[in-house]
């Protein structure tokens, strides 16, 4: 018996648990991709798998749906692999350990992968149904890789097996909201050179913990602290209070996740530990005032070690490190002038770490306006150049513009009203979806995105509503059963 046995609808939660048994963080989706291929071959479906691991499975129409236009049902195979500080799970080798908590499914100490595992579970449950049990036209189930690291799989995907010009993307996280457009984006990787010298002092470790973190598209406007930026700010604050040498610095795990922690190792002159404690106490007061609402559990802790000699960042290089951490653009850059409340442009410093010879900063840039995305990227490149470094851009993907006329959207609204008794919200989102890339590949592709209620995605507190997932399953089946011309 599985942990999720007994949950309804049984096929959906059976496959969700099967997915969770297989490690599938970004760049490590091969096992799950191969699982989908075996699944298709065992059931006699036409199936293709490319070198990256993208999979397309074709299900022919059920009786009576031969003349209904084909539809793509799409989700991504990868998940963000974040975990709590005390969690020892190796997410490259092990999938999430799921458990039921009332109406929610959670994972023990790690991200759950409901984004986008629940979509995959829907797709496999649909494809596993006996012929005619779930009425549908020709279904082209598209499973992509590396969505969470720049939509890389969708960018490389060959859609020539697909005949459909309608697509249901199941990668939204609020039931009752139909997403009809999204921002474009790209990743940046800045490398700032540093020099190191031998220094002696008392080893002091700083740990910034308790931040809420979150998805850099969905939570970027929530006023949450960024662990990389805030730790950099404390080091700048400390420079005006006392002498120290910086040995190490690390914060964040993924470009598209707001860092929820940060750490640094300093060397301080013997006897100066008390001044460091005083600075931490004062700075903690600042944090409480500024972030007490968004990050109530935030704290900066000190661990004092012994005197030792280390290779520390040379003073001029330290100025460059602090300049980069404190002056790199971060957070919301502009709000939409057309849609009140929608973020137009943002950038997230998702990873910052000191290597032996360089500071590495990885960021996620998002904007629904291409020129604004370029401007933010140019600012990053300019600052990196001024500090003697360079920046590489990766994973560029286009925005998905809102379509004024959409037969699929109209159909989804009509079916939603019949099932729920009220009209859904039509929204654009700041997070990136694969609809923009796939629309560029298939001329005239009509897209809509939806999904069940999911919370705190990309964090160890991620959870998905069981009851919402059940309702959205019925909604998906009703859309497929509609005989839209």
């Amino acid at each position: 018996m599985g942990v999720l046995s007994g949950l309804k609808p049984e096929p959906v939660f059976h496959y969700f648990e099967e997915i969770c048994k297989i490690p599938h963080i970004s760049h490590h989706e091969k096992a799950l991709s191969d699982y989908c291929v075996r699944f298709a071959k065992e059931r006699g479906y036409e199936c293709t798998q490319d070198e990256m691991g993208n999979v397309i499975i074709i299900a022919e129409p059920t009786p009576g749906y031969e003349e209904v236009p084909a539809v793509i049902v799409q989700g991504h195979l990868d998940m963000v692999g974040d975990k709590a500080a005390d969690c020892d799970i190796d997410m490259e080798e092990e999938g999430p350990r799921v458990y039921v908590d009332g109406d929610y499914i959670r994972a023990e100490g790690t991200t759950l992968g409901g984004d986008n595992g629940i979509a995959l579970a829907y797709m496999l449950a649909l494809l596993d149904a006996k012929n005619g049990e779930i009425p549908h036209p020709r279904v082209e189930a598209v499973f992509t890789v590396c969505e969470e690291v720049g939509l890389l799989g969708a960018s490389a995907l060959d859609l020539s097996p697909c005949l459909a010009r309608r697509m249901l993307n199941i990668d939204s996280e609020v039931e009752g909201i139909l997403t009809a457009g999204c921002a474009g984006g790209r990743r940046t990787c800045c490398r700032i050179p540093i020099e190191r010298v031998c220094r002696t002092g008392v080893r002091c470790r700083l740990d910034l913990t308790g931040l809420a973190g979150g998805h850099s598209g969905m939570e970027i406007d929530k006023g949450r602290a960024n662990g990389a930026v805030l730790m950099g700010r404390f080091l700048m604050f400390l420079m005006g209070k006392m002498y120290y040498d910086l040995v190490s610095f690390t914060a964040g795990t993924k470009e598209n996740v707001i860092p929820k922690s940060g750490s640094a190792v300093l060397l301080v002159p013997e006897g100066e530990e008390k001044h460091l404690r005083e600075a931490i106490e004062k700075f903690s007061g600042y944090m409480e005032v500024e972030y007490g609402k968004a990050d109530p559990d935030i704290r900066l802790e000190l661990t004092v070690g012994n005197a030792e000699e280390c290779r520390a960042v040379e003073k001029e290089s330290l100025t460059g490190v602090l300049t980069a951490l404190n002056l790199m653009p971060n957070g919301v850059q502009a709000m939409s002038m057309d849609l009140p409340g929608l973020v137009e442009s943002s950038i997230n410093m998702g990873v910052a770490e000191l290597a032996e010879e360089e500071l590495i900063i990885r960021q996620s840039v998002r904007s629904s306006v291409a020129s604004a995305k370029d401007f933010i990227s140019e600012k990053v490149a300019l600052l990196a150049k001024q500090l003697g470094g360079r920046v590489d851009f990766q994973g560029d993907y286009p925005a998905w513009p809102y379509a004024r006329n959409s037969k699929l959207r109209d159909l989804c609204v009509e079916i939603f009203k019949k099932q729920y008794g009220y009209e859904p919200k039509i929204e654009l989102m700041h997070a990136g979806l694969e609809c923009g890339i796939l629309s560029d590949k298939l001329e005239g592709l009509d897209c809509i995105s939806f999904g069940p209620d999911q919370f705190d995605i990309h964090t160890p507190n991620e959870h998905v509503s069981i009851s919402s997932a059940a309702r959205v399953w019925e909604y998906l089946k009703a859309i497929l059963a509609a005989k839209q011309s």
Side-chain angles (χ1 to χ4, degrees):
M1 295 288 286
V3 174
L4 305 184
S5 296
L7 298 183
K8 304 294 184 182
E10 188 275 334
V12 170
F13 291 112
H14 165 75
Y15 280 112
F16 185 73
E17 187 164 2
E18 288 295 297
I19 291 162
C20 289
K21 292 176 182 177
I22 304 170
H24 56 283
I25 62 173
S26 301
H27 297 297
H28 298 273
E29 310 97 326
K30 179 170 172 44
L32 185 53
S33 174
D34 290 345
Y35 173 90
C36 293
V37 172
R38 289 194 303 272
F39 170 96
K41 289 181 177 179
E42 289 169 0
R43 290 156 182 79
Y45 287 122
E46 177 186 343
C47 176
T48 60
Q49 180 186 41
D50 65 19
E51 291 182 356
M52 286 193 71
N54 296 305
V55 175
I56 299 175
I57 301 173
I58 308 296
E60 295 301 330
T62 57
Y65 284 78
E66 294 84 357
E67 302 303 318
V68 179
V71 62
I72 294 171
V73 182
Q74 190 264 325
H76 59 86
L77 290 163
D78 62 318
M79 64 174 284
V80 168
D82 196 14
K83 60 184 181 179
D86 59 351
C87 179
D88 61 357
I89 295 174
D90 182 351
M91 298 197 75
E92 291 185 13
E93 302 294 333
E94 184 178 349
R97 301 173 185 172
V98 299
Y99 67 96
V100 176
D101 177 20
D103 185 46
Y104 302 108
I105 301 172
R106 300 178 181 269
E108 297 178 9
T110 71
T111 41
L112 172 66
D115 174 17
N116 198 218
I118 195 66
L120 309 182
Y122 286 155
M123 294 158 72
L124 294 175
L126 168 65
L127 294 168
D128 198 32
K130 295 179 181 179
N131 190 37
E133 185 178 43
I134 300 177
H136 61 75
R138 173 184 164 104
V139 168
E140 300 165 348
V142 175
F143 303 78
T144 53
V145 298
C146 290
E147 189 270 352
E148 299 289 6
V149 288
L151 290 74
L152 304 181
S155 296
L157 180 63
D158 177 7
L159 284 174
S160 58
C162 295
L163 305 178
R165 291 301 181 268
R166 303 186 299 159
M167 187 174 85
L168 304 174
N169 167 277
I170 312 175
D171 196 14
S172 294
E173 290 86 28
V174 182
E175 183 182 7
I177 293 179
L178 304 183
T179 305
C182 72
R186 64 168 57 104
R187 305 296 174 98
T188 77
C189 179
C190 298
R191 297 181 180 274
I192 312 297
I194 63 169
E195 293 185 7
R196 289 182 180 265
V197 293
C198 289
R199 291 282 189 258
T200 302
V202 177
R203 183 183 181 90
C204 295
R205 180 182 174 91
L206 300 169
D207 287 293
L208 180 66
T209 60
L211 288 75
H215 188 292
S216 68
M218 304 300 293
E219 277 84 38
I220 199 71
D221 60 342
K222 301 297 190 297
R224 297 175 182 176
N226 179 305
V229 175
L230 193 56
M231 181 61 85
R233 178 180 165 186
F234 174 72
L235 294 178
M236 181 177 65
F237 170 79
L238 188 62
M239 181 171 273
K241 306 296 180 184
M242 60 179 289
Y243 179 88
Y244 69 87
D245 288 298
L246 178 63
V247 176
S248 68
F249 181 101
T250 182
T253 57
K254 306 288 182 182
E255 295 97 324
N256 61 345
V257 178
I258 302 169
K260 63 180 187 299
S261 63
S263 65
V265 173
L266 314 179
L267 296 179
V268 304
E270 193 168 353
E272 291 294 299
E273 302 94 327
K274 64 177 182 179
H275 293 128
L276 180 54
R277 289 193 179 92
E278 290 170 358
I280 289 172
E281 183 177 355
K282 189 166 187 177
F283 193 78
S284 296
Y286 296 162
M287 292 191 298
E288 183 176 355
V289 171
E290 296 180 29
Y291 298 106
K293 189 77 171 179
D295 292 279
D297 298 323
I298 192 170
R299 59 190 180 277
L300 182 58
E301 298 176 335
L302 170 65
T303 303
V304 178
N306 299 318
E308 58 181 76
E309 183 179 76
C310 294
R311 285 181 55 77
V313 179
E314 181 269 336
K315 281 305 172 184
E316 186 174 340
S317 293
L318 178 58
T319 299
V321 168
L322 298 184
T323 299
L325 292 173
N326 287 280
L327 294 188
M328 278 288 177
N330 183 74
V332 174
Q333 302 295 295
M335 300 298 291
S336 172
M337 298 298 289
D338 298 315
L339 297 169
L342 177 69
V343 178
E344 176 205 277
S345 305
S346 75
I347 180 170
N348 176 63
M349 187 185 294
V351 179
E353 55 186 350
L354 272 177
E356 179 63 23
E357 298 181 345
E358 60 186 359
L359 169 68
I360 302 170
I361 295 177
R362 301 182 188 276
Q363 299 153 298
S364 173
V365 181
R366 304 176 190 270
S367 183
S368 53
V369 178
S371 59
K373 180 176 70 174
D374 291 341
F375 179 49
I376 296 169
S377 302
E378 288 162 2
K379 288 196 288 185
V380 171
L382 181 60
L383 181 56
K385 183 179 180 180
Q386 290 297 310
L387 296 173
R390 61 184 176 85
V391 60
D392 296 321
F393 298 108
Q394 304 166 331
D396 198 292
Y397 59 91
W400 168 29
Y402 176 80
R404 291 184 178 177
N405 298 307
S406 167
K407 288 185 177 180
L408 179 61
R409 184 174 67 236
D410 293 343
L411 174 68
C412 290
V413 169
E414 178 185 344
I415 293 172
F416 188 96
K417 288 192 293 186
K418 288 180 180 178
Q419 178 175 331
Y420 289 86
Y422 62 92
E423 191 159 326
K425 293 181 179 178
I426 306 296
E427 290 190 358
L428 281 66
M429 71 188 307
H430 188 56
L433 292 172
E434 292 158 301
C435 300
I437 292 174
L438 301 182
S439 294
D440 275 0
K441 292 174 179 284
L442 291 178
E443 185 177 355
L445 186 65
D446 193 359
C447 307
I448 200 72
S449 179
F450 59 89
D453 286 335
Q454 300 183 67
F455 307 90
D456 296 320
I457 60 173
H458 297 185
T459 79
N461 192 42
E462 181 182 0
H463 50 294
V464 59
S465 167
I466 296 167
S467 59
S468 178
R471 290 189 296 269
V472 172
W473 170 241
E474 296 302 319
Y475 180 56
L476 171 62
K477 291 193 296 180
I479 296 171
L480 294 173
K483 293 188 176 182
Q484 183 188 41
S485 60

